[in-house]
Amino acid sequence: MKKMLKILIVAIVAICIIVGAGVMYSGALGSNDAQLDGQEIKLAAAASLKNVYDNELIPMFEEKYGDVKVSATYGSSGDLQTQIENGLDADVFMSAATKQMDALIDEDLIDKSTNVESLENKVVLIIPKESKSDISSFEDLKNVKGVIAIGDPESVPAGQYAKEVLTNLNLWDSVQSKLSLGTDVTAVLNQVAQGSADCGIVYKTDAVSTDDVKIVCEAPSGSLKTPVIYPVAMVKSSKHPEASKAFIDFLQTQEAKDVFVKYGFTIH
């Protein structure tokens, strides 16, 4: 009888310990979530990310985290880099190239430990949907009589990639006089979609976001030695580091990755 009583007491104590631990664990999670309530994450992201963020990822994150809000500023990665250097109030930065992120890390403006490189994009040549053009390859650009739209290589990653492709294909010198330089990749896309440019060079994700353009081809193999990688990281001056890290972690979940793929990105 005494032996049975001891066994019963031990079992009750063990159950209490397990239940207590579970309560403490769930309490800790609830506490962490509660600490994020009412916070606003300010996201600075490349223009090519606007559709995927505004249409799906930001609403998904806000639904998951309740009262946490995300406000986004979009632009060319180079312009956003300059703004962050000049004190832009931002918590998270996502660039369309590693160049801008690396520069900010070197300047100690980004928390390097949070830097994640998980997305890749493709560079494509596009023409207006109703175009009768016979452009079928990048090589045909040397015969274009009108306007070729690309991002400004000085500040727009899409423009830097376009210049790299054209240079490696020995086309840069022959097309320079025909170029119209956009302030970001969206501006380039709009020029082609509206027919003010005969063709343009953009990211695949931008090209598939509208029915107003047609993809002619991807940049030829070997013409782009720099992969189109999108890094994301927390800005060191972030006023909401916990929420910012939660947002970056969310972007690495399978559900977020599936959305990126849906919008034409490749998981790196």
Side-chain angles (χ1 to χ4, degrees):
M1 182 70 179
K2 288 183 178 180
K3 185 175 181 181
M4 290 287 294
L5 183 59
K6 285 182 180 180
I7 292 173
L8 180 61
I9 291 172
V10 170
I12 292 172
V13 170
I15 291 171
C16 288
I17 291 173
I18 292 170
V19 172
V23 170
M24 288 177 65
Y25 179 68
S26 62
L29 284 180
S31 174
N32 287 339
D33 287 343
Q35 288 175 12
L36 304 185
D37 286 352
Q39 294 188 20
E40 179 182 3
I41 301 168
K42 295 185 177 180
L43 169 68
S48 51
L49 291 161
K50 178 175 173 57
N51 290 334
V52 66
Y53 270 130
D54 286 354
N55 295 346
E56 300 211 35
L57 289 178
I58 289 176
M60 284 171 61
F61 178 80
E62 290 180 340
E63 182 178 358
K64 186 180 177 106
Y65 282 87
D67 290 337
V68 181
K69 300 299 178 186
V70 180
S71 61
T73 298
Y74 302 103
S76 76
S77 300
D79 285 345
L80 293 174
Q81 174 195 339
T82 300
Q83 291 180 49
I84 291 172
E85 290 168 338
N86 290 330
L88 176 67
D89 185 9
D91 297 294
V92 176
F93 176 47
M94 191 164 189
S95 172
T98 57
K99 176 182 177 182
Q100 290 74 25
M101 185 67 77
D102 290 344
L104 292 174
I105 288 174
D106 290 343
E107 294 165 19
D108 202 30
L109 295 174
I110 292 289
D111 184 343
K112 185 178 180 180
S113 68
T114 64
N115 186 29
V116 180
E117 299 178 358
S118 60
L119 289 187
E120 184 174 355
N121 213 334
K122 302 297 181 184
V123 172
V124 297
L125 176 62
I126 60 171
I127 58 175
K129 181 180 180 180
E130 305 301 330
S131 173
K132 305 299 183 183
S133 170
D134 58 359
I135 297 173
S136 61
S137 69
F138 277 82
E139 288 292 336
D140 291 333
L141 295 181
K142 59 189 174 186
N143 301 319
V144 170
K145 304 296 183 185
V147 175
I148 302 169
I150 69 169
D152 186 346
E154 291 298 316
S155 60
V156 183
Q160 293 160 5
Y161 293 126
K163 182 176 180 179
E164 182 179 342
V165 170
L166 294 171
T167 300
N168 288 334
L169 293 175
N170 296 315
L171 296 170
W172 180 253
D173 291 340
S174 62
V175 303
Q176 262 191 286
S177 62
K178 310 171 189 177
L179 298 179
S180 172
L181 306 182
T183 54
D184 57 38
V185 72
T186 303
V188 176
L189 180 68
N190 289 337
Q191 282 189 66
V192 180
Q194 294 163 9
S196 57
D198 295 77
C199 57
I201 302 174
V202 298
Y203 298 125
K204 180 180 178 181
T205 52
D206 295 290
V208 300
S209 72
T210 175
D211 294 329
D212 295 328
V213 303
K214 294 186 292 187
I215 296 177
V216 174
C217 61
E218 286 188 10
S221 176
S223 65
L224 191 62
K225 294 181 170 52
T226 307
V228 186
I229 303 299
Y230 283 59
V232 61
M234 185 179 76
V235 180
K236 269 198 171 182
S237 60
S238 169
K239 296 184 177 71
H240 306 295
E242 297 88 357
S244 298
K245 289 174 182 176
F247 182 70
I248 293 171
D249 287 343
F250 164 74
L251 297 179
Q252 311 315 310
T253 62
Q254 191 59 52
E255 60 180 336
K257 289 179 179 179
D258 288 344
V259 173
F260 278 124
V261 170
K262 174 182 172 182
Y263 277 73
F265 292 93
T266 300
I267 302 304
H268 177 61

